[in-house]
Amino acid sequence: MSGNTLGKILSFTSFGESHGYAVGGVLDGFPAGVDIDLEYIQNELDKRKPGSSSLASARNESDKIQIVSGVFEGKSLGTPIAFFIFNENQKPEDYYALKDVFRPSHADFTYYHKYSHVDYRGGGRASARETAARVAAGAFAKIFLNSVGVDITAFTIQVGKIKMTKIAENIDKTTIDQSILKCPDPDISEKMMQQLEELKESGDTTGGVVECRITGCPSGLGEPVFDKLSADLAKAMMSINAAKGFEIGSGFDAASMTGSAHNDKISKEKNGKIKFLTNHAGGILGGISNGDTIWFRVAFKPVPSIKKTQLTIDYHGNKKEISISGRHDVCVIPRVVPVVEAMAALVIADHFLRNIHVHHFVNKIHPKI
Amino acid sequence: MSGNTLGKILSFTSFGESHGYAVGGVLDGFPAGVDIDLEYIQNELDKRKPGSSSLASARNESDKIQIVSGVFEGKSLGTPIAFFIFNENQKPEDYYALKDVFRPSHADFTYYHKYSHVDYRGGGRASARETAARVAAGAFAKIFLNSVGVDITAFTIQVGKIKMTKIAENIDKTTIDQSILKCPDPDISEKMMQQLEELKESGDTTGGVVECRITGCPSGLGEPVFDKLSADLAKAMMSINAAKGFEIGSGFDAASMTGSAHNDKISKEKNGKIKFLTNHAGGILGGISNGDTIWFRVAFKPVPSIKKTQLTIDYHGNKKEISISGRHDVCVIPRVVPVVEAMAALVIADHFLRNIHVHHFVNKIHPKI
Amino acid sequence: MSGNTLGKILSFTSFGESHGYAVGGVLDGFPAGVDIDLEYIQNELDKRKPGSSSLASARNESDKIQIVSGVFEGKSLGTPIAFFIFNENQKPEDYYALKDVFRPSHADFTYYHKYSHVDYRGGGRASARETAARVAAGAFAKIFLNSVGVDITAFTIQVGKIKMTKIAENIDKTTIDQSILKCPDPDISEKMMQQLEELKESGDTTGGVVECRITGCPSGLGEPVFDKLSADLAKAMMSINAAKGFEIGSGFDAASMTGSAHNDKISKEKNGKIKFLTNHAGGILGGISNGDTIWFRVAFKPVPSIKKTQLTIDYHGNKKEISISGRHDVCVIPRVVPVVEAMAALVIADHFLRNIHVHHFVNKIHPKI
Amino acid sequence: MSGNTLGKILSFTSFGESHGYAVGGVLDGFPAGVDIDLEYIQNELDKRKPGSSSLASARNESDKIQIVSGVFEGKSLGTPIAFFIFNENQKPEDYYALKDVFRPSHADFTYYHKYSHVDYRGGGRASARETAARVAAGAFAKIFLNSVGVDITAFTIQVGKIKMTKIAENIDKTTIDQSILKCPDPDISEKMMQQLEELKESGDTTGGVVECRITGCPSGLGEPVFDKLSADLAKAMMSINAAKGFEIGSGFDAASMTGSAHNDKISKEKNGKIKFLTNHAGGILGGISNGDTIWFRVAFKPVPSIKKTQLTIDYHGNKKEISISGRHDVCVIPRVVPVVEAMAALVIADHFLRNIHVHHFVNKIHPKI
């Protein structure tokens, strides 16, 4: 009810304030008997850590995961998987100065109006640190998805004013991993970096866009009315801090297209395989996966913590001028890419499990195109 | 679990196939003692009906609502409000010709792969007719919201290649109602109509974009992590048939802005009132309403039923050439505007009720900026 | 949230007041492709109808079911199954006399305090008529369960002071059906009838106990902590109007037994089959079915509508003396037996579907002892 | 879905195996701004610990609670309250001997059939140690309930063959606390102790019955159909390990009573207060609290771990003779009393919060009789 739980069969509950004892989560409904590679999970978590780059927050988060339950002798038990990521290197005193000030475009204002009593240290529960728990839970979901042939890859296509205009159909994961900004085009990546250096210099920040592609997903995932796969992906993405927009397949461009141009024709190949000639659908028709690649994009706003002076008010209604110094990223994009993958993995794994009862003969495996 | 229910305290369950006995729904969790104006509800439903325009499907849907339970002597009982809307004027024989053909960019393909046994008549459950139930439920939600001062207005800002470029801060509801296409700018509306006439002539269709604004919403609605108000709005909108994208406030434009330009400064007026100087947030910060106008946009794809010849296959894998004639809209936009409002109303009313327990002194009404 | 929905994968939403347009329900999550025998469903509903006996309410309920959605060409579609049972023969004027009086041990008092605005006609939503919708939904669940080999049989073991003391291990369904009171022992059934005649004479009523047995249920159903199969059965049974107690297997007798007497020893038969030597467990261990017969009992209170004069107060706090005449049963037991079966069927079918994802290899069918 | 979460607005998720890193939970939906007395919570946990008595398991559980999130500067934040209780003094080697044996009337058999991969150490998730998390969560719920005037008291009324026959209307909490067996009658308590000593001597165990009373609960709690307050209490109680039966108010005795004897007459006192002359209802009518004391009883089976030799089989189907030595209670009753209170507190607090939206004027506080 308080919205800290996502998913119906595979359900993930997140908890923790950024400067409390720990952030963490409980992943319930994970099937029993799955091999759990803890190193893989730690690796996923590490991807979310601030890079060596000068552009990211200098906060040293070791983000070491502690599994509390649900895994025994290297395999899942089918019971709730609880885990913690301790909050080390807490410096709450960094936040005392802004303790009772509404930082513009932060959640301070709305938390205060909703709860009256708030944890003012570093955003508390509104901190992006909460996404560490998402990435850990998503890593478990990925382990499950990998075992059934589903792969998820997210990457940066825009940072501030620099965009990729042509995006290859096949993206090489190594090129993504080699880019600090997780952009598969080295030239664009370089330009993005320059832009961020300039913004840092001027005490400013910017936003960006992440694209995500899911391959190997069987047809049939998603429920036809409210829990459309596209709707659940939209919700999961828009639940990430700083998200401002979501579009799938042709997205906003679809609005100006004609039906004859937009419709994805279906053809039968010589080898008998059924194929969509285009993929404006983004791999989802009527809310249900069609077996083609699922692809979507998520827009993120600029980091609101800027060094430049801003006008605001405090809790008591007094006007204030503030400049937010300290450990803050110039752009969320590189750190949000693994979060997009994690949220996609949680949604797809949940729907994979949800799709199993649809038929009377529940052990029937659905054909994939 | 099967995704036919939306909302947590105010929860709406939808049922019905387009050519079955009826479509309808159950709205549970609606407070007791609310005056229910049945004429208002019927009026809302009528807005979704095909207009007198030559551009819309000629299907004569009377869409008369029958209340089954939950309302007694003109007031809500606090028990489930069930209703149905009979499916009149069913001509299933219209659909026999395409009974076993996958119409491109329709849900036929995915329904067949998910369920094996499907109701092929007019899309069955995938038909946009299902949204009539949403509009009826949304009308109940609006009655509740109106009683607490919340207003919701959606309108057309793009049809195919014709867009509104300047949108006034205050939109007059009458200008919207006077436009067949529900566009508040009469000149643009006229151009949109011309474009649709041309498309109809050529047997083609197009998409569009709807904007929605919510005023009078108190601060504090929305839950901070997964059930962010923005995330639940995104899901609700992306659950509408043909939706391809969602953006809130600055939306995708936020990606290229700087933090200093994007941050909404907070100021205190001479009269003591707190004011955001801009509204890039779209009325939501950290997933929680901030008391400012909530505004977002939803993109819809072109109607996939086109007269132009298309290549496809049938259920047995045979290639087919089809031309879809019959009663089909050239563009979903005018009929989808009330659906956007209804879905917004369901989400906001649910979160209004969800926000009530947050404080220990549960009868405390939250201050509004 | 308002508690009109039961079940997680197979979820049933009930709606309707006893003297409104109809009572009915929506059964969501029912698998696609199941043959639906409408005659069987109507038959189940007929079992709940007042018998020809002079002991039951004379209300002539035809209880004809109307399927609204989710069934097409004789098979389930996997979409929500909505149905109505119209309220015929409504005589609301029968209730005007007691319109603003709290009938003792009826729900009038609590509904009024909870909702302020209530439907006073015949109990409104608190009427046992609501259970007609449960029986209809349960009939669908039984169709599914029968197809996987699960059988559910409920019968009367106590009416007022007359009890069955020895209950055979195998109960013949015909003997139950032949008894107006649904008691498998003809002699006891006869004595129960005599007692009820006497009570009727004196303007009084009584209660009773129903036993239910479930055979063919595979091991593995039920979730280990809160959603134990026994806990979900307890909730479902205690949700039936007039239920006062629930016990499973050895029940309250277990409290005075020793562990050595109570433990169900496990043995391996010569044919290799595993067998529990006793069944104090009631077929459930640690909340999970063990493959043995599930058996439990539910106690029901006397019908509170009595002809004898009672003291009470009205809505305004005035003292009243009332005598409730009209169409009322002397004992709920015969009509509640099919409701017990229906609720058991809904719980078992839901848990059957819930148990499917537990393993990684989701199509693996669990071994049954 | 996997049933590790209970409650709708105040929802509690439990996690942990008895010999893993920790057991714990997440309590979500707890209102913000409530003073949290950690000492009180630790005290409640201590009540569940094995007493100094020779009858209880000698396991030394310090059960120290660690709050992870949701509490800041002594007050609740409205965010999820996560906590854990470390598993100290783990001696898994104690369990190796019975690692692959199905202990009669334990959950070994059903866990193995459900999950294949199980944590065999001390029952893993099926261990009563899981209830420590329930008691901690219940302590938070009690803090909330105390602040609104609701009190919950559970006590022992039967251990094995020794029962209380007369139970006073007012039970003194001190007499309960002074009894090792939590029985308010010192003489009966003494007899119960003697009986347990004898059972211990003979290597056997027994069961018992706990009664629970809830006072100060306003009328209006509970939802009328499936989520009746009585139904949710039944589920919560039957979800406790070893529970076999539940009855409320007159319970199973109601079955043999007449309506005229069972009906609770309503009277108006001279001071204008409304009063029920009896309380067979157990404080709940039509599933909704009526403002009177809520009272119910729960039966528990004998501890299945006995020293006496038992026949069973192992995972491979081989017959075994076992005698379970080690740290085991002779009777669960004393340790289960705080668990009954905790589960009652979670259910009542959840329904208290759920009842708030029922009226249009949501800040209206319902009148209490």
Side-chain angles (χ1 to χ4, degrees):
Chain A
M1 267 302 305
S2 294
N4 296 290
T5 300
L6 188 85
K8 295 202 172 165
I9 285 186
L10 182 68
S11 75
F12 171 51
T13 300
S14 156
F15 57 80
E17 278 72 47
S18 67
H19 287 70
Y21 185 86
V23 296
V26 184
L27 189 64
D28 200 9
F30 195 87
V34 179
D35 288 315
I36 302 300
D37 179 347
L38 290 181
E39 208 175 322
Y40 173 82
I41 293 166
Q42 187 61 54
N43 248 8
E44 287 292 301
L45 261 177
D46 292 346
K47 288 185 188 167
R48 202 199 132 271
K49 276 172 49 176
S52 53
S53 152
S54 58
L55 304 163
S57 127
R59 178 168 176 176
N60 180 5
E61 307 181 40
S62 80
D63 282 3
K64 181 87 182 59
I65 193 168
Q66 170 67 51
I67 307 293
V68 175
S69 65
V71 179
F72 178 61
E73 297 182 341
K75 282 183 197 294
S76 60
L77 284 165
T79 59
I81 298 172
F83 58 83
F84 302 132
I85 302 155
F86 293 103
N87 291 323
E88 298 167 2
N89 190 21
Q90 305 164 7
K91 295 194 181 172
E93 60 277 15
D94 290 6
Y95 299 96
Y96 290 150
L98 297 173
K99 176 180 162 163
D100 62 352
V101 174
F102 298 125
R103 293 167 298 162
S105 294
H106 269 282
D108 306 339
F109 182 89
T110 49
Y111 267 62
Y112 182 71
H113 280 80
K114 189 177 185 81
Y115 300 112
S116 298
H117 178 57
V118 295
D119 182 349
Y120 50 80
R121 300 167 305 170
R125 183 116 181 97
S127 165
R129 177 148 184 77
E130 182 270 331
T131 60
R134 304 186 185 209
V135 172
F140 280 94
K142 280 179 165 184
I143 286 175
F144 174 74
L145 289 173
N146 290 343
S147 78
V148 294
V150 179
D151 181 75
I152 298 175
T153 306
F155 49 90
T156 302
I157 61 168
Q158 181 179 347
V159 165
K161 298 194 181 301
I162 314 298
K163 305 183 197 197
M164 286 178 74
T165 42
K166 281 187 201 165
I167 309 176
E169 208 171 313
N170 295 304
I171 295 284
D172 181 14
K173 286 212 184 205
T174 357
T175 62
I176 299 170
D177 289 344
Q178 282 164 356
S179 157
I180 289 174
L181 295 178
K182 309 225 163 76
C183 172
D185 181 322
D187 294 342
I188 300 279
S189 188
E190 181 61 32
K191 283 184 197 153
M192 288 170 171
M193 285 296 281
Q194 283 168 12
Q195 181 196 212
L196 291 184
E197 293 288 358
E198 289 162 23
L199 284 164
K200 196 187 178 190
E201 203 70 25
S202 65
D204 217 332
T205 60
T206 196
V209 179
V210 173
E211 177 162 324
C212 183
R213 296 182 183 177
I214 304 166
T215 56
C217 190
S219 58
L221 308 198
E223 301 297 325
V225 178
F226 300 123
D227 292 359
K228 287 182 162 77
L229 190 59
S230 38
D232 277 353
L233 285 168
K235 170 168 176 160
M237 296 306 143
M238 292 301 293
S239 82
I240 302 174
N241 306 31
K244 298 298 293 179
F246 171 88
E247 57 176 10
I248 188 154
S250 53
F252 276 85
D253 285 349
S256 55
M257 292 173 76
T258 58
S260 58
H262 190 270
N263 283 359
D264 298 317
K265 279 88 193 167
I266 311 174
S267 152
K268 196 176 175 184
E269 304 289 274
K270 279 184 185 154
N271 59 11
K273 233 189 133 184
I274 289 156
K275 197 184 159 180
F276 294 99
L277 300 184
T278 48
N279 187 4
H280 295 119
I284 296 175
L285 276 172
I288 301 167
S289 64
N290 65 10
D292 214 338
T293 297
I294 295 170
W295 60 292
F296 59 84
R297 286 164 303 289
V298 194
F300 294 91
K301 73 176 186 181
V303 171
S305 293
I306 58 173
K307 273 200 193 131
K308 285 191 172 173
T309 305
Q310 300 180 87
L311 279 176
T312 188
I313 58 167
D314 66 16
Y315 288 18
H316 319 290
N318 303 313
K319 293 192 180 185
K320 292 269 171 179
E321 269 201 358
I322 61 165
S323 156
I324 305 173
S325 54
R327 307 167 304 183
H328 298 290
D329 295 350
V330 180
C331 182
V332 296
I333 289 300
R335 297 182 67 182
V336 98
V337 167
V339 184
V340 167
E341 286 192 2
M343 295 308 291
L346 287 167
V347 170
I348 300 293
D350 184 34
H351 274 285
F352 190 97
L353 292 168
R354 289 174 71 174
N355 190 44
I356 290 163
H357 326 86
V358 170
H359 279 278
H360 186 200
F361 302 105
V362 286
N363 60 330
K364 177 180 161 189
I365 288 302
H366 302 300
K368 224 197 101 189
I369 63 162
Chain B
M1 267 303 307
S2 295
N4 295 290
T5 300
L6 188 85
K8 294 202 174 167
I9 285 185
L10 182 68
S11 75
F12 171 52
T13 300
S14 156
F15 57 79
E17 277 72 48
S18 66
H19 287 70
Y21 183 86
V23 296
V26 184
L27 189 63
D28 200 9
F30 195 87
V34 180
D35 289 315
I36 302 301
D37 178 348
L38 289 181
E39 208 175 322
Y40 173 83
I41 293 166
Q42 186 62 54
N43 248 6
E44 288 291 301
L45 261 177
D46 291 346
K47 289 185 188 168
R48 203 199 130 271
K49 276 172 50 176
S52 54
S53 152
S54 59
L55 303 163
S57 126
R59 179 170 176 173
N60 181 6
E61 306 182 42
S62 78
D63 282 3
K64 182 87 181 59
I65 193 168
Q66 170 66 52
I67 307 291
V68 175
S69 64
V71 180
F72 178 60
E73 297 182 343
K75 281 182 198 296
S76 61
L77 285 166
T79 59
I81 298 171
F83 58 84
F84 51 74
I85 304 157
F86 292 103
N87 292 321
E88 299 167 1
N89 190 19
Q90 304 164 10
K91 296 195 182 171
E93 60 277 16
D94 290 6
Y95 299 97
Y96 290 151
L98 297 174
K99 176 181 163 164
D100 62 351
V101 174
F102 299 126
R103 292 167 300 162
S105 294
H106 270 283
D108 306 339
F109 183 89
T110 51
Y111 268 61
Y112 182 71
H113 279 80
K114 189 176 184 78
Y115 299 112
S116 299
H117 178 57
V118 295
D119 182 349
Y120 50 81
R121 300 168 305 169
R125 183 119 182 94
S127 165
R129 178 149 183 77
E130 182 270 330
T131 61
R134 303 185 185 210
V135 172
F140 280 94
K142 279 179 164 184
I143 286 175
F144 174 74
L145 289 173
N146 289 344
S147 77
V148 294
V150 179
D151 181 76
I152 299 175
T153 307
F155 49 90
T156 302
I157 61 169
Q158 181 179 345
V159 166
K161 297 195 180 303
I162 314 297
K163 307 184 195 195
M164 286 178 74
T165 44
K166 281 185 201 166
I167 309 177
E169 209 171 311
N170 295 305
I171 296 284
D172 181 14
K173 285 211 184 208
T174 357
T175 61
I176 299 170
D177 289 344
Q178 282 165 355
S179 157
I180 289 174
L181 294 178
K182 308 221 162 81
C183 172
D185 182 322
D187 294 343
I188 300 280
S189 188
E190 181 61 34
K191 283 184 199 156
M192 288 171 170
M193 286 295 281
Q194 283 167 12
Q195 183 197 208
L196 291 185
E197 294 287 359
E198 289 162 23
L199 284 164
K200 195 185 179 193
E201 203 69 25
S202 65
D204 217 333
T205 61
T206 194
V209 178
V210 173
E211 177 161 323
C212 183
R213 294 179 185 180
I214 304 166
T215 57
C217 190
S219 59
L221 308 198
E223 301 298 325
V225 177
F226 300 123
D227 292 0
K228 287 182 163 77
L229 191 57
S230 37
D232 277 354
L233 285 168
K235 171 169 174 161
M237 296 306 143
M238 292 301 293
S239 83
I240 302 172
N241 306 30
K244 299 298 291 180
F246 172 89
E247 58 177 9
I248 187 153
S250 54
F252 275 85
D253 284 350
S256 56
M257 291 172 77
T258 60
S260 57
H262 190 271
N263 283 0
D264 297 318
K265 278 89 195 167
I266 312 175
S267 154
K268 197 178 175 180
E269 305 289 275
K270 279 183 185 156
N271 58 11
K273 233 190 134 183
I274 289 157
K275 196 184 159 180
F276 294 98
L277 300 184
T278 48
N279 187 4
H280 295 118
I284 296 175
L285 277 173
I288 301 168
S289 65
N290 65 11
D292 214 340
T293 298
I294 295 170
W295 60 292
F296 58 84
R297 286 166 302 289
V298 194
F300 294 91
K301 71 176 188 181
V303 171
S305 291
I306 57 175
K307 275 203 192 127
K308 286 191 171 172
T309 303
Q310 302 179 85
L311 278 178
T312 188
I313 59 168
D314 66 15
Y315 287 18
H316 319 290
N318 304 315
K319 293 193 181 186
K320 293 268 173 180
E321 268 200 1
I322 62 166
S323 157
I324 305 173
S325 53
R327 309 167 302 182
H328 299 290
D329 294 350
V330 181
C331 181
V332 296
I333 289 300
R335 297 182 67 183
V336 98
V337 167
V339 184
V340 167
E341 285 191 4
M343 295 307 291
L346 287 167
V347 170
I348 300 293
D350 184 35
H351 275 285
F352 189 96
L353 292 167
R354 289 174 69 174
N355 189 42
I356 290 163
H357 327 87
V358 170
H359 279 277
H360 184 200
F361 301 105
V362 287
N363 60 332
K364 179 180 161 189
I365 288 299
H366 301 300
K368 223 198 101 190
I369 64 161
Chain C
M1 265 305 303
S2 295
N4 296 291
T5 299
L6 188 85
K8 295 204 171 165
I9 285 185
L10 181 67
S11 75
F12 171 52
T13 299
S14 155
F15 57 78
E17 278 72 45
S18 67
H19 287 71
Y21 185 85
V23 296
V26 184
L27 188 65
D28 200 10
F30 195 87
V34 180
D35 289 314
I36 302 301
D37 178 349
L38 289 181
E39 207 175 323
Y40 173 82
I41 292 167
Q42 186 62 53
N43 249 8
E44 287 292 300
L45 260 178
D46 292 346
K47 289 186 189 168
R48 203 199 130 271
K49 275 174 50 177
S52 52
S53 153
S54 59
L55 304 163
S57 126
R59 179 169 176 172
N60 179 6
E61 307 181 41
S62 79
D63 283 3
K64 180 92 181 57
I65 193 168
Q66 170 67 52
I67 306 292
V68 175
S69 64
V71 179
F72 178 60
E73 297 180 343
K75 281 181 198 295
S76 60
L77 284 166
T79 60
I81 298 171
F83 58 84
F84 302 132
I85 303 156
F86 293 103
N87 292 323
E88 299 168 1
N89 189 20
Q90 304 164 10
K91 295 195 181 171
E93 59 278 16
D94 291 3
Y95 300 97
Y96 290 150
L98 297 174
K99 175 179 163 166
D100 61 352
V101 174
F102 298 127
R103 293 168 298 162
S105 294
H106 269 284
D108 306 340
F109 183 88
T110 50
Y111 267 63
Y112 182 71
H113 279 82
K114 189 176 184 83
Y115 299 112
S116 299
H117 178 57
V118 295
D119 182 348
Y120 51 80
R121 301 169 303 172
R125 183 116 182 95
S127 165
R129 179 150 182 76
E130 182 269 331
T131 59
R134 302 186 186 208
V135 172
F140 281 95
K142 279 179 166 185
I143 286 175
F144 174 74
L145 289 174
N146 289 343
S147 78
V148 294
V150 179
D151 181 75
I152 298 176
T153 307
F155 48 91
T156 301
I157 59 168
Q158 181 180 345
V159 166
K161 296 196 182 301
I162 315 298
K163 305 183 197 196
M164 287 179 73
T165 43
K166 281 186 200 165
I167 309 176
E169 210 171 311
N170 294 306
I171 296 284
D172 181 16
K173 286 209 183 208
T174 356
T175 61
I176 300 170
D177 288 345
Q178 281 164 355
S179 157
I180 289 174
L181 295 178
K182 308 223 163 80
C183 172
D185 182 321
D187 294 342
I188 300 279
S189 188
E190 181 59 32
K191 284 184 197 155
M192 289 170 171
M193 286 295 282
Q194 283 168 12
Q195 181 196 213
L196 292 184
E197 294 288 359
E198 289 161 24
L199 285 164
K200 197 186 178 192
E201 201 71 24
S202 66
D204 217 333
T205 60
T206 195
V209 178
V210 173
E211 178 162 323
C212 184
R213 296 183 184 176
I214 305 165
T215 57
C217 189
S219 58
L221 307 198
E223 301 297 325
V225 178
F226 300 123
D227 292 1
K228 287 182 163 77
L229 190 58
S230 37
D232 277 354
L233 285 168
K235 171 169 175 161
M237 296 306 143
M238 293 300 295
S239 83
I240 301 173
N241 306 32
K244 297 300 291 180
F246 172 88
E247 57 176 9
I248 188 155
S250 52
F252 275 85
D253 285 347
S256 56
M257 291 173 78
T258 59
S260 57
H262 190 271
N263 282 0
D264 298 317
K265 278 88 193 167
I266 312 175
S267 153
K268 198 178 175 179
E269 304 289 274
K270 279 186 184 153
N271 59 9
K273 232 189 138 186
I274 289 156
K275 195 183 161 182
F276 293 99
L277 300 185
T278 48
N279 188 4
H280 295 120
I284 297 175
L285 277 172
I288 301 167
S289 64
N290 65 11
D292 214 338
T293 298
I294 295 170
W295 60 292
F296 59 83
R297 284 165 303 290
V298 194
F300 294 91
K301 71 174 186 182
V303 171
S305 292
I306 58 173
K307 274 201 193 130
K308 286 194 171 169
T309 305
Q310 302 180 85
L311 279 178
T312 188
I313 58 168
D314 67 13
Y315 288 18
H316 319 293
N318 305 313
K319 291 192 183 187
K320 293 268 173 182
E321 269 200 1
I322 61 165
S323 156
I324 306 173
S325 53
R327 309 169 301 185
H328 298 291
D329 295 351
V330 179
C331 180
V332 297
I333 289 300
R335 296 181 69 182
V336 99
V337 167
V339 183
V340 167
E341 285 192 3
M343 296 307 291
L346 287 167
V347 170
I348 300 293
D350 184 34
H351 274 285
F352 190 96
L353 293 167
R354 287 174 72 175
N355 189 44
I356 289 162
H357 328 85
V358 170
H359 279 277
H360 185 201
F361 300 104
V362 286
N363 59 332
K364 178 182 161 188
I365 288 300
H366 302 300
K368 222 198 101 188
I369 62 161
Chain D
M1 267 304 305
S2 295
N4 295 290
T5 299
L6 187 86
K8 294 203 172 166
I9 285 185
L10 182 67
S11 75
F12 171 51
T13 300
S14 156
F15 57 79
E17 277 72 46
S18 66
H19 287 72
Y21 184 84
V23 297
V26 184
L27 189 64
D28 200 9
F30 195 87
V34 180
D35 288 315
I36 302 301
D37 180 347
L38 289 181
E39 209 175 320
Y40 173 83
I41 292 165
Q42 186 62 54
N43 250 6
E44 288 291 302
L45 260 178
D46 291 347
K47 289 186 189 167
R48 204 200 129 271
K49 275 172 51 177
S52 53
S53 151
S54 58
L55 304 164
S57 124
R59 181 170 175 173
N60 180 6
E61 306 182 41
S62 78
D63 282 3
K64 180 89 183 58
I65 193 169
Q66 170 67 51
I67 307 292
V68 175
S69 65
V71 180
F72 177 60
E73 297 181 342
K75 281 181 198 295
S76 60
L77 284 165
T79 59
I81 298 172
F83 58 84
F84 50 76
I85 303 156
F86 292 106
N87 293 323
E88 298 168 1
N89 190 20
Q90 304 164 8
K91 294 195 183 172
E93 59 278 16
D94 291 4
Y95 299 96
Y96 290 151
L98 297 173
K99 177 179 162 165
D100 62 351
V101 174
F102 298 126
R103 292 168 299 161
S105 293
H106 269 284
D108 306 340
F109 183 88
T110 50
Y111 267 62
Y112 182 72
H113 279 81
K114 188 175 184 82
Y115 299 112
S116 298
H117 178 56
V118 295
D119 182 348
Y120 51 81
R121 301 168 305 170
R125 184 120 181 92
S127 166
R129 180 153 182 74
E130 183 270 331
T131 61
R134 302 185 185 209
V135 171
F140 280 95
K142 280 178 164 186
I143 286 175
F144 174 74
L145 289 174
N146 289 343
S147 77
V148 294
V150 179
D151 181 74
I152 298 175
T153 306
F155 48 91
T156 302
I157 59 167
Q158 181 179 345
V159 166
K161 298 194 180 301
I162 314 297
K163 304 183 196 194
M164 285 179 75
T165 43
K166 283 185 200 166
I167 309 176
E169 209 171 313
N170 295 305
I171 295 283
D172 182 16
K173 287 210 183 207
T174 355
T175 61
I176 300 170
D177 287 345
Q178 281 165 355
S179 157
I180 289 174
L181 295 178
K182 308 222 163 81
C183 172
D185 181 324
D187 294 342
I188 300 280
S189 189
E190 181 60 33
K191 283 184 200 155
M192 289 170 170
M193 287 295 282
Q194 282 169 11
Q195 181 195 213
L196 292 184
E197 293 289 358
E198 288 161 24
L199 285 165
K200 196 186 178 191
E201 203 69 24
S202 66
D204 216 332
T205 61
T206 195
V209 178
V210 173
E211 177 161 324
C212 183
R213 295 182 184 179
I214 304 166
T215 57
C217 190
S219 58
L221 308 198
E223 300 298 325
V225 178
F226 300 123
D227 292 0
K228 288 182 162 77
L229 190 57
S230 37
D232 277 354
L233 284 169
K235 170 167 175 162
M237 296 307 142
M238 293 300 295
S239 83
I240 302 174
N241 306 32
K244 297 300 291 180
F246 171 89
E247 57 177 8
I248 188 152
S250 52
F252 275 85
D253 285 349
S256 55
M257 292 173 77
T258 59
S260 57
H262 190 270
N263 282 1
D264 298 317
K265 278 89 194 169
I266 312 176
S267 154
K268 198 178 176 181
E269 305 288 277
K270 281 185 183 155
N271 59 11
K273 231 190 137 184
I274 288 157
K275 196 184 157 181
F276 293 100
L277 300 185
T278 48
N279 188 3
H280 295 119
I284 296 174
L285 277 172
I288 301 168
S289 64
N290 64 10
D292 214 339
T293 298
I294 295 169
W295 60 291
F296 60 83
R297 286 164 302 290
V298 194
F300 294 91
K301 72 175 187 182
V303 171
S305 292
I306 58 173
K307 273 201 193 127
K308 284 192 174 172
T309 304
Q310 301 179 87
L311 279 178
T312 189
I313 58 167
D314 66 14
Y315 288 18
H316 318 293
N318 304 315
K319 293 193 181 185
K320 292 269 171 182
E321 267 199 4
I322 62 165
S323 156
I324 305 173
S325 54
R327 308 167 304 181
H328 298 292
D329 295 350
V330 180
C331 181
V332 296
I333 290 298
R335 297 181 69 181
V336 98
V337 167
V339 184
V340 166
E341 286 192 3
M343 295 308 291
L346 288 167
V347 170
I348 300 293
D350 184 34
H351 274 285
F352 190 97
L353 293 167
R354 288 174 71 174
N355 189 44
I356 290 162
H357 325 87
V358 169
H359 279 277
H360 185 201
F361 301 104
V362 285
N363 60 330
K364 177 179 160 192
I365 288 300
H366 301 300
K368 221 199 102 188
I369 61 160

